[in-house]
Each structure stands twice: as C-alpha cells, then as structure tokens.
Amino acid sequence: MTPLLARLRRFIVVLACFVPAVAGAQDDYRPFSKEQIDQLTAQVALFPDALLSQVLMAATYPADVAEAALWSRANPDEKGDAAVALVDDKPWDPSVQSLVAFPQVIVMMGENPTWVKDLGDAFLLQPEDVMDSVQRLRTAAQRAGNLASNEHVNVTVESRPPADFVQVVGAPPPPPQVIVIEQRNPQVVFVPMYNPVHMFGPWMWPAFPPVFIPPPVGFWWHHPISTGIWWGVGVGVTHAIWGHPHWWSRRVTINVHHHNRIHVRHPIDRWDPGRGDVNWSHRPDRRRDIPYRGGDRTRDQLQRRADRVDREQFRGRDVDRSRAEQALRDRGVSTDRDALRDRNRDDLRRQAQGLDPGRSRELDRGAARDRAQSIDRDAARDRAQNIDRDAARDRAQNIDRGAARDRAQNIDRDAARDRAQNIDRGAARDRAQGIDRDAALDRARAADRGGSRDQRVPALQGVDHRQARQEIDRGRASRESIQRPAGAPAQRPAGTPTQRPRGAEARPAQGQRPGGAQGQRPQVQRPSGAAQANRPQGGSRSR
Amino acid sequence: MIKLALGAALGALFAVAPAAFAQQAFPTPLAAAEALVDGVARHDDDAIARTLGKDHAKFLPVPRTSSEDVTTFLASWAEARRIVPAGDAKAWLEVGRYGWTLPIPIVKGTSGWSFDVSAMADELRTRRIGRNELDAIQVMRAYVDAQDEYKAGEGRGRYATRLVAAPGKRDGLYWPSKVGTPPSPLGPYVAKGGPYEGYRFRQLPATDAAAAGGVPVFVGWPAKWDDTGVKTFVVDRDGVVRQKDLGPESAARVREMSVYAPDASWQKID
C-alpha cells in the first residue's frame, strides 16, 4: 500500500513539472498574460510578505536555486541563520543563500526549475503584474475564507497608499487595496503549505491551472494536503530575511542592515538616504548561463538597469550622510557597521602578521575583494571632503574682508527688527517638525565621528580599487594630452586618434568620434538623439 | 678611561647613524621593493628610512596604530606583486590584482636602484585627476538618470529646468527633504554645483529645446584645472558624454557657454 502511494506521489510530482510549460518557451518575447502570471504566483502568493520577496528575488537566479536546493537536500537538518552561514562561500546570489534558511522553500523550488525560471522572468520583466497578481490571489483567498490572521501571521488590509507614495507617470494606477501578510514574530517565520487549486475559491482561469509543487517524498514537513493551509514549523531567523515588498509602488526593497549582517562577504554598499533601504536590483552578471525570456535584448535591458543603480552613488548625495541618517533612525546600525569593519580589519591584520612568502597564497581572496567595495567608498568620501575643504579655504581667503565689513555695518536695523517681529510662530513650529534632513544629518555625522579613525597613508591608498589601473591610465592620458603651447585652446583636429594606447579595456575607453563629416554643427541644443540611440553600454562598474 | 670609552662609543654611534638613514641603493628594483615592504610590515622606521630616505614620514608615514591602508597594502602584496619596467632606468612596483602601482617609481642611479620620492607628489596628482575624471563621467550619466526620474515622478512628464528647486517647491532636481521621506532625484553636492570629487557642475540655461521636452545640457569642469581634473564634460539627453580640455581657464570658458554645439573637438566617450 505504502509503495503504491509513494509511486503515485512521484507521478504527481512529474506531472506538476509539465504544467508550467504552458507559460511559454524561452525565446518568447511576448509578455506573460494575467492568467499565466496567476499560474506562477499561486504557489507562493500566501507566503508572508518578506519571505515572498526573498522567493521572487531568488527566482531570478535559477541556476543558483537549483544548486542551493541540492545542498539543502543533502543537508536536511540545516535551517535558519546557521544554514545561511554554512553556504556563505557558495557562489550564489545572497537572495538564494538566504533561502537556504527555509529548506521547505528552497527544496520546493528545486522540484520545478521551469517554474522558478518563469516566475523570475515574470518578476524581472513585469514586476507590476506579478505584484498585482499576488494581491488578486490574496483577495480571492480571503473571500474564500482561507486567509485570516492567526497565531503565525497578521493579515491586514490597507485601503490607502502611504503619504510618500509617488505615482510614476505611465505606470498602472495603484491597486484599490492591498493585503499585507506579516509574521507575528519577525524572527520566527512560518512557511505556509497549501494546495493552490483549493485555496482561492473556484480557480479563475480553468484553462490555466495553478502550478502546484507538493512536498517531495520523505521530507519532514511532508503533510497530506487538504483544503486548509498547513503552517508547518516556525524557522527562527534574525537577519536571513531582508527583502520587503511595497505593494503600492510595486517594488521590492532590501534592508541593508539585515542583509549585510548575514552576507558579510557580499555587503551592499549603496544606501538610499531617507530609508536605510535600497531598491532591489537584479545583477545579470550573476545569472550564469540561464537565458532570459526575451534573450539578449532582455539581458541588455537588465544590464542598463543595473548600471543605473550602480551610478546612484554619483548623484551627489553624501554616502556618509545617508549612513548617518540611518544611524539617526536606528542607532544599532552604526555599531553593526563598525563590527563589520572591525571584522575585516581583523582578517587583514591576521594576514599581515602571518606575512611571509610561503603563506602568502593562503590569503583569503574573498575578504580582500569585499573589503575593496567598502574601502573604495570611504576613500572617495575622504577625497571629496578634502577637496571641498581646500576649495572652501581658497574661497574664504579671496573674500574681500573690507566689503564684508561694510555690508555688515549697513544692515538696516529697523528692517531686521521688523522681520524678527513678523516671524510666524506657526511656520516656526512646522519647520521644527519637519526637521531638515541635511541639518539633522550634519548633527548625526558629528555625533558619529566620535569613534577612532584610521590614519590614512596616501602613498598606499587605492591598492584595492577595482579600477586602480584605469584611474592611473586615465590620469596619464589626460595630462599627456595637455602638453601643448600654453594658452592655446585645446583643438584636436577631427579624426586624430586618441593618445590612449589601449582601446578595449574593462573600462569604457575614450574613442574619437569618427571622421570630420560631423564637422562644425549648426548651433543645436544637443546632438541628435537618433544618432546616439544605439550607444553601447559600458559594463557594470561596481566599485 | 670611562670618558674615553664613552667618547669612542659616541663617535661610533655618530659614524653609524648617518649611514643608517641614508637612502640605500639596491641591486634590483625588486630588492628595493622587498626592503620597503619589509620595513612597512615591521613598522620599522629605520628600515623604511633606508629605502625612502630620512624624510620618509612625509611620503609614507607608517602609523603605529591600525591603518587600513597599510594592512590592505600588505595583504595585496602578499597576493600579487610585480615589477613593471618603464624604460631601462625606471620601474614601478605593481601590487594586488587591480594593477595598482606604488606612486613612487624605482629609478636606476650610479650605485643601483632606489626609490625616487621626489616624483610621488606629481604621480598622486595624476591619479587624483584620473579618479576624479572617471567619477565625473559617472556623475554626468547619473544626472541624466536623475532627470529621467524627475520626469517620471515630480516632473509629471517634464524635465527639470533647475538644479536646485525654489524654496518650498519641487521644481528642480534637488530639494531638502525630511528625514524618512524619499530623497530628491539629485543630491545637494552635485545640484549646488560642487565641488564634488574635484569637479564643479552647471546646467546650461533652459532653452526652447528644453521646453520641447529635452534635457537641459549639463556641464562638469575641473574645480582646479590640471590638479583635480583636466577634461570638461558635457552630457546630452541620451547619456552620451563628451569631453574636451578647455585649458587653465576652463571655469571662465564654461561660464561663457550658453548653448552646446558639439563640434568634432568634443570627444565622445563610449
């Protein structure tokens, strides 16, 4: 009887694997339909929000998911933060590493690779549709009486977007309401197990049955599934969950604090001022050889998006400031950051102390690389501050002191008094409540600076900058190009090759515009867009 | 007798001391590099002085306290090091995996190879220029990103014609925001014109083209020419960055710019 049952179950598993084939072939350029997306999301739509966001991110790296699932099967007793720590050295994206905390989830994903790929592609290409689909299904489940708060989760309905919600022009209008599923205890995650066929009332699209991945045979969470949700056994986590879906703006953000605590080797070093969270961004360079739906065109599009995210650090927001702001919001973070830095420094000190040629090869390359990411930024900040300071001093010295004094004496005292009396107290109060971010940050930064700082050695800086070579080459090329008669404006004849000897490098090389055909253009505001439409994108420049 | 011995000892000390601090020449560039790194690793001032000369603290102060720069350098050295010759009489010490070289060249003199500390300041300036220029190019592209973001959000389909919004308004790329609310598309350091990473920035006045839906032209030029940067950069709506050396009077020449006419003297950066 039992072997027969087992065989039957295996048959069902095999059958389930074929279902998502409906969702489309790999080189399909058409978007997924609403029905197809509901098929894909049904299996996870009732997951707690944070866990669901982790699943969506991880699904964009199907090769990593497959390997992680095998690992989890081989190590069935590992779960929670401890499991994530064990896979720290695997070459998987952090979102996949984090899912190892939940064997039930990662093994389930390993059961159906096609579903994972389709879900990931849908989330990459049609994130709005995926998020709306989840909401549609949650509403259906609630209506069917299958989704309500219990001892594991809180289920709440929001009927109004948050105050800071900005409707993006051209994006679909916000949903009428959103259903939020939160863990009761943020540090204990219960993974629901249910049969999507029964969960959402009569399934809306009979021709597109939901993907159902039953638990594989012989696993501890194995459970006969009926019409209810089985909430399984809670998994204790502290930092393994760091994603968060925003249903109104239809995106996923990352809590950098949690992320960097658990993924020490791959810290995120971009901070979104005002949140402490950053928008999630897919990294095509971590996708490995799994093609995207839409092929290379999709890959290019995603690469452009990733480049754009990398460039956010060049928007002129002080990184130090956003960190200070984070500290303002949550003092715990700054100590965490210090701990992170200390850890790296200890690694290094150990390496330096054991410095002899025989041992040198044993150095941890990963640690050095990770360090590079965080140190670059510190160096950049220091640089910026030094430059500012020099410029400020230069400026200050040039101020005509006499003129300043004259001005000061001429201030109309009556006018000043009038102004003072007219200060609107209401306005002052409003101002106080809406504390200026910049001012608050300056204060926070001053407070943050209390800790001891490293002494910098200019001659040794930059050794771990990824683009150390490019910086040197670029500086040389630019300075060599100015060896011309003094005073004469630099007028390089059209068509002259550049002086840079190396053309094709990782860094986008400077190329001369072809030919004098361009000539002296008529006075236009900007070069024609069409001519530049197909400009090649530089590779991702992580610093 | 005792005095004599003391005198002899003192004399010996004086005889030895200058030798200990004189800059030493080495048979090969690698030998010079190894002596320096050995000194740095041991925090041995005398050993460093033998390789860099007695003023070494000016060029390469090795702090007794923890220094990320020193430990990173040593770890990278352990990982990979190479002597890169530049001609017959000059060589650079390359360390780590990213092609970084020590900014102090090793040069050949009559008695052997030694570090040329006098060249360091200029080499550091060259690197600063390179780094700032690469960053400035990214800032130019990030400006276009910020304009796109503004157009999709606050701008309601229009690009911003101002860098800094009028007080209390959101009609520019930067406005002060409250703690906990989303930041403006551009940060204050670029929007207020810099200097940021050694560069200053300006948006050309809004024109008919801008009114018709184009991004205003954005210009970045070195805060101090041939010191914080050499090239001046402009970016157009498609994120195409062009560069040109406007010379020592870069700032003045940028101030004169009112329209952007990208003739062939502006080099496109791919």
Side-chain angles (χ1 to χ4, degrees), chain A residues 309-450:
Chain A
V309 169
D310 282 347
R311 279 199 300 266
E312 278 188 12
Q313 57 180 311
F314 293 100
R315 297 268 187 105
R317 302 179 185 122
D318 191 343
V319 176
D320 197 21
R321 284 184 164 235
S322 30
R323 283 187 177 164
E325 180 161 13
Q326 174 72 9
L328 196 74
R329 210 174 57 96
D330 172 9
R331 291 303 304 185
V333 170
S334 71
T335 46
D336 287 338
R337 196 183 75 231
D338 290 342
L340 189 72
R341 203 176 53 204
D342 285 341
R343 182 188 147 150
N344 283 338
R345 202 184 294 147
D346 287 342
D347 287 349
L348 267 174
R349 201 173 300 134
R350 268 197 303 280
Q351 290 166 18
Q353 283 165 352
L355 186 72
D356 69 77
R359 270 206 50 199
S360 64
R361 279 178 229 291
E362 299 169 18
L363 287 174
D364 184 350
R365 279 153 199 279
R369 189 181 54 238
D370 295 338
R371 220 166 43 242
Q373 291 174 340
S374 53
I375 291 172
D376 278 359
R377 197 170 279 258
D378 286 343
R381 190 186 57 232
D382 290 345
R383 213 160 58 234
Q385 287 173 347
N386 290 338
I387 291 167
D388 283 353
R389 211 173 294 138
D390 287 346
R393 201 184 45 237
D394 290 347
R395 259 202 319 282
Q397 286 170 347
N398 289 332
I399 288 175
D400 183 345
R401 282 165 195 283
R405 202 180 44 236
D406 291 346
R407 253 198 328 278
Q409 287 171 346
N410 287 332
I411 287 175
D412 184 342
R413 282 165 194 285
D414 290 341
R417 201 184 46 239
D418 289 347
R419 260 202 317 280
Q421 285 170 347
N422 286 333
I423 287 175
D424 183 345
R425 281 169 194 283
R429 200 183 47 236
D430 289 348
R431 250 198 331 274
Q433 283 170 346
I435 292 172
D436 181 18
R437 177 203 295 266
D438 294 332
L441 286 171
D442 280 336
R443 273 200 306 281
R445 179 157 51 169
D448 227 18
R449 228 182 243 154

Side-chain angles (χ1 to χ4, degrees), chain A residues 68-204:
Chain A
L70 287 178
W71 184 91
S72 199
R73 270 178 171 263
N75 301 275
D77 296 331
E78 302 296 346
K79 59 177 178 154
D81 289 344
V84 182
L86 285 174
V87 297
D88 187 40
D89 59 344
K90 304 284 186 209
W92 310 329
D93 185 82
S95 60
V96 178
Q97 290 178 341
S98 269
L99 276 189
V100 171
F102 311 99
Q104 188 182 336
V105 177
I106 191 71
V107 171
M108 177 266 287
M109 293 174 87
E111 290 289 292
N112 194 335
T114 320
W115 169 74
V116 171
K117 182 191 176 300
D118 285 343
L119 180 66
D121 283 352
F123 180 54
L124 285 174
L125 296 167
Q126 299 163 258
E128 294 91 356
D129 296 339
V130 169
M131 308 276 281
D132 286 350
S133 160
V134 169
Q135 285 301 327
R136 188 163 50 241
L137 292 176
R138 285 181 177 185
T139 306
Q142 202 179 38
R143 204 171 290 147
N146 289 327
L147 180 64
S149 295
N150 57 26
E151 66 270 35
H152 309 300
V153 289
N154 281 330
V155 178
T156 50
V157 179
E158 292 176 6
S159 52
R160 199 179 305 145
D164 61 349
F165 173 74
V166 176
Q167 170 68 36
V168 172
V169 176
Q177 62 162 42
V178 303
I179 297 176
V180 175
I181 305 179
E182 283 170 319
Q183 295 125 229
R184 274 254 147 127
N185 178 346
Q187 306 214 323
V188 183
V189 180
F190 288 87
V191 182
M193 175 116 322
Y194 55 86
N195 185 335
V197 177
H198 303 306
M199 205 45 53
F200 307 100
W203 184 251
M204 293 167 283

Side-chain angles (χ1 to χ4, degrees), chain B residues 62-86:
Chain B
V62 176
R64 307 239 161 240
T65 56
S66 83
S67 167
E68 232 166 49
D69 292 329
V70 171
T71 45
T72 307
F73 169 76
L74 292 175
S76 301
W77 158 275
E79 205 174 347
R81 66 268 192 188
R82 191 162 75 94
I83 294 295
V84 184

Side-chain angles (χ1 to χ4, degrees), chain A residues 164 166-169 272-275 308 311 313-318 321 325 328 341 345 348-349 351-352 355 357 360 363 365 368-369 371-372 375 378 380 383-384 387-388 391 394-395 434-438 440 445 454-472 474-476 478-479 481-482 484 489-492 494 498 507-513 519-521 523-529 532 535 541 543, chain B residues 41 59-61 63 65-76 78-79 92 95 97-103 120 122-127 129-135 137-139 141-142 145-146 148-149 151-153 156-157 174 176-190 195-198 200 207 209 214 217 225-226 230-231 233 236-240 242-245 253 259-265 267-268 270:
Chain A
D164 61 349
V166 176
Q167 170 68 36
V168 172
V169 176
D272 187 359
R275 290 185 200 281
R308 198 183 160 116
R311 279 199 300 266
Q313 57 180 311
F314 293 100
R315 297 268 187 105
R317 302 179 185 122
D318 191 343
R321 284 184 164 235
E325 180 161 13
L328 196 74
R341 203 176 53 204
R345 202 184 294 147
L348 267 174
R349 201 173 300 134
Q351 290 166 18
L355 186 72
S360 64
L363 287 174
R365 279 153 199 279
R369 189 181 54 238
R371 220 166 43 242
I375 291 172
D378 286 343
R383 213 160 58 234
I387 291 167
D388 283 353
D394 290 347
R395 259 202 319 282
I435 292 172
D436 181 18
R437 177 203 295 266
D438 294 332
R445 179 157 51 169
D454 273 341
Q455 192 177 337
R456 309 310 307 257
V457 185
L460 299 183
Q461 274 175 28
V463 64
D464 54 359
H465 287 202
R466 277 156 196 244
Q467 35 171 8
R469 188 73 237 163
Q470 288 93 307
E471 287 171 3
I472 295 170
R474 169 95 204 171
R476 293 223 171 109
S478 281
R479 295 194 77 195
S481 75
I482 58 179
R484 281 187 218 93
Q491 200 70 43
R492 191 178 289 116
T498 74
R507 186 184 73 76
Q510 4 167 170
Q512 182 83 17
R513 205 154 171 204
Q520 295 282 332
R521 282 181 174 226
Q523 299 266 300
V524 290
Q525 294 313 312
R526 56 186 173 76
S528 126
Q532 317 297 339
R535 107 191 140 90
R541 288 179 7 123
R543 288 155 55 88
Chain B
F59 309 105
L60 208 157
T65 56
S66 83
S67 167
E68 232 166 49
D69 292 329
V70 171
T71 45
T72 307
F73 169 76
L74 292 175
S76 301
E79 205 174 347
W92 300 91
V95 171
R97 294 176 297 154
Y98 302 114
W100 180 88
T101 53
L102 187 75
M120 189 183 88
D122 196 58
E123 181 62 22
L124 284 180
R125 172 195 272 213
T126 298
R127 289 171 190 208
I129 288 171
R131 199 167 49 218
N132 287 346
E133 288 191 345
L134 289 176
D135 284 355
I137 293 168
Q138 293 299 85
V139 172
R141 292 179 176 145
D145 295 340
D148 287 343
E149 200 178 298
K151 186 185 179 188
R156 313 250 179 265
Y174 167 72
S177 52
K178 293 172 196 167
V179 173
T181 61
S184 54
L186 206 59
Y189 290 77
V190 167
Y196 178 76
E197 309 282 337
R200 294 187 162 280
T207 58
V217 173
W225 184 79
D226 198 22
V230 170
K231 304 285 189 189
F233 301 102
D236 65 17
R237 185 172 83 165
D238 300 305
V240 176
R242 283 161 212 275
Q243 64 178 6
K244 183 175 175 172
D245 176 9
R253 298 192 54 185
V259 287
Y260 167 48
D263 63 32
S265 66
Q267 222 179 359
K268 184 173 155 189
D270 289 322

Side-chain angles (χ1 to χ4, degrees), chain B residues 209-230:
Chain B
V215 172
V217 173
F218 190 61
V219 190
W221 69 98
K224 219 169 159 191
W225 184 79
D226 198 22
D227 187 51
T228 67
V230 170

